[in-house]
């Protein structure tokens, strides 16, 4: 094989978040795990991601590899700096430009989205394309994620007409959440460098606006989303967020591949954040985690003998936090404890803090984002709550299963694909059919009753902990997709 061919990247991901460097949610967890899993399969993998102000890149010692990556955007054109590091066999390139990325938050402040998000992520996406151009050989697959990198497939599609460099590159777009589309004024389309012919209802245009996610859906060679159920749901008016039309047109190129859970990070047997590790056959550690949680959050001692219910997630309607608020008085009457970790909508935050006053010793709410605490809640609680209105995949329920904290969840999207509902012999958790307060309350009641019956509970916990959503299996599914797009096996790998 000629040297240049061997050095060619099989897959390069473009993403606005990657754990452990940056994270606001599940997207980061996926990008922290899938690229290394593909590298383990023998592929040559890279990731392009922004260098944000508050990120943990320093400890990975990134080195400057270009101080003059000409992005040609916005006008007058500016350059990006590119830093490089290695992460579990994957090359990671950081796009740096302080006025765009050196901010406290990635996308918004508590007042709302940054006014220049379109410029920021158009710049990022163009910098990614310019950087890939400098590699000497175009990656075989460019795999983009969510609206922040949605323009990349569109550019590559049009560049192919004039630039043979991209001739045999294929693009994949993964939708992690269809509700976030990156919808901006049409004026910004005309500055983006895409040709006018992309401005139509099967291209980048969406009801007169510029839609970055739609741009990716329209021009990527393949589209994926993060669970089979969500892949079917987004074709409907109810879940399609207005994009069901274009998704139905592209349905032949759409597939659902369930995310994995990164058990190197989320496993109670070796979790460095929890007070005591445990496993299905050594559960005393979990009791200790529960005790510590009770002490730490001033919950009543009597809760050592009652179940504690946990919620971790963005405090948004998507996550059904309003349903939990609705049923809180009835949940409290079940004599259980509740711990909530999250941030998001200010009204929900305020309401929950008020409720915490009302139910002192029984309800604790932590407004904020703390990775470490998320682990301790998974470990210390008995039951995990996830009443989402929709859930593309959901990772927290997979972690909850592994931590022996059976979930109570709406039967939607990835929740439906990962939880076997009670009362089957195979049950690993509890689901309810629709995001409805009464159905949710009934499912919580079922869970508490099952907890009270140690035989029922022990079996459920054992099966939950045995559920296996390892990334290697999901990575195989992505590999199948890449092969279908023409990715040839690496000869040096098969040798
Ligand atoms: P989504 O991506 O929709 O936010 P997921 O369930 O797919 O939801 O992933 C959420 C990820 O973010 C999990 O790793 C979860 O532990 C983490 N997370 C969410 N909210 C918080 C928080 N307030 N503090 C710490 N981690 C959080």
């Amino acid at each position: 094989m000629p040297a240049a061919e061997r050095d060619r990247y099989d897959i390069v991901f473009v993403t606005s978040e990657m754990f452990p460097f940056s994270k606001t949610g599940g997207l980061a967890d996926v990008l922290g795990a899938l690229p290394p899993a593909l590298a383990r399969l023998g592929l040559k993998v890279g990731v392009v991601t922004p260098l944000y102000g508050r990120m943990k890149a320093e400890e990975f010692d990134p080195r400057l590899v270009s101080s003059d990556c000409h992005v040609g955007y916005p006008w007058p054109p500016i350059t990006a700096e590119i830093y490089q590091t290695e992460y579990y066999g994957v090359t990671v390139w950081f796009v740096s430009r302080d006025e765009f990325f050196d901010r406290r938050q990635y996308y918004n402040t508590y007042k709302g989205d940054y006014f220049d998000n379109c410029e920021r992520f158009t710049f990022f996406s163009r910098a990614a394309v310019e950087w890939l151009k400098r590699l000497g050989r175009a990656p075989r697959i460019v795999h983009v994620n969510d609206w922040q990198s949605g323009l990349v497939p569109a550019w590559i599609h049009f560049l192919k007409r004039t630039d043979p460099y991209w001739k045999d590159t294929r693009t994949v777009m993964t939708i992690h959440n269809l509700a976030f589309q990156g919808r901006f004024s049409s004026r910004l389309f005309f500055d983006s460098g895409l040709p006018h012919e992309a401005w139509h209802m099967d291209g980048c245009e969406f009801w007169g606006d510029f839609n970055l996610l739609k741009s990716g859906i329209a021009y990527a060679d393949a589209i994926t989303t993060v669970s089979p159920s969500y892949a079917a749901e987004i074709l409907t008016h109810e879940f399609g967020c207005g994009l069901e039309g274009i998704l139905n047109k592209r349905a032949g190129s759409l597939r659902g591949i369930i995310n994995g859970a990164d058990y190197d990070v989320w496993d109670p047997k070796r979790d460095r954040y929890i007070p005591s590790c445990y496993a299905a056959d050594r559960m005393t550690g979990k009791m200790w985690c529960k005790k510590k949680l009770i002490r730490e959050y001033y919950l009543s001692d009597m809760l050592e003998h009652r179940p504690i219910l946990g919620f971790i997630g963005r405090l948004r309607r998507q996550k059904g936090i309003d349903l939990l608020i609705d049923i809180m008085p009835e949940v409290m009457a079940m004599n259980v404890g509740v711990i909530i970790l999250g941030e998001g909508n200010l009204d929900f935050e305020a309401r929950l803090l008020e409720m915490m006053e009302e139910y002192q010793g029984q309800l604790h709410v932590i407004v904020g984002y703390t990775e470490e605490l998320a682990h301790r809640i998974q470990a210390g609680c008995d039951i995990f709550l996830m009443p989402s209105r929709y859930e593309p995949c959901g990772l927290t329920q997979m972690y909850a299963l592994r931590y022996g904290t059976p979930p109570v969840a709406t039967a939607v999207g990835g929740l439906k694909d990962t939880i076997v509902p009670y009362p089957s012999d195979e049950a690993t958790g509890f689901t309810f059919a629709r995001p409805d307060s009464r159905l949710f309350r009934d499912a919580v009641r079922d869970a508490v009753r099952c907890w009270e019956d140690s035989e029922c509970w022990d079996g459920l916990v054992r099966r939950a902990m045995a559920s296996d959503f390892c990334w290697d299996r999901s990575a195989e599914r992505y590999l199948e997709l890449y092969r279908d797009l023409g990715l040839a096996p690496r000869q040096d790998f098969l040798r």
Side-chain angles (χ1 to χ4, degrees), residues 367-387:
V367 172
Y369 196 97
T370 325
E371 184 76 15
E372 185 179 335
L373 185 52
H375 288 247
R376 295 214 305 275
I377 291 178
Q378 292 278 10
C381 288
D382 299 282
I383 295 169
F384 193 78
L385 303 176
M386 214 159 163

Side-chain angles (χ1 to χ4, degrees), residues 118 183-190 199 208-210:
C118 186
R183 185 173 171 178
F184 303 102
S185 151
S186 57
R187 181 180 56 78
L188 295 161
F189 168 81
F190 295 101
W199 188 250
D209 286 338
F210 183 24

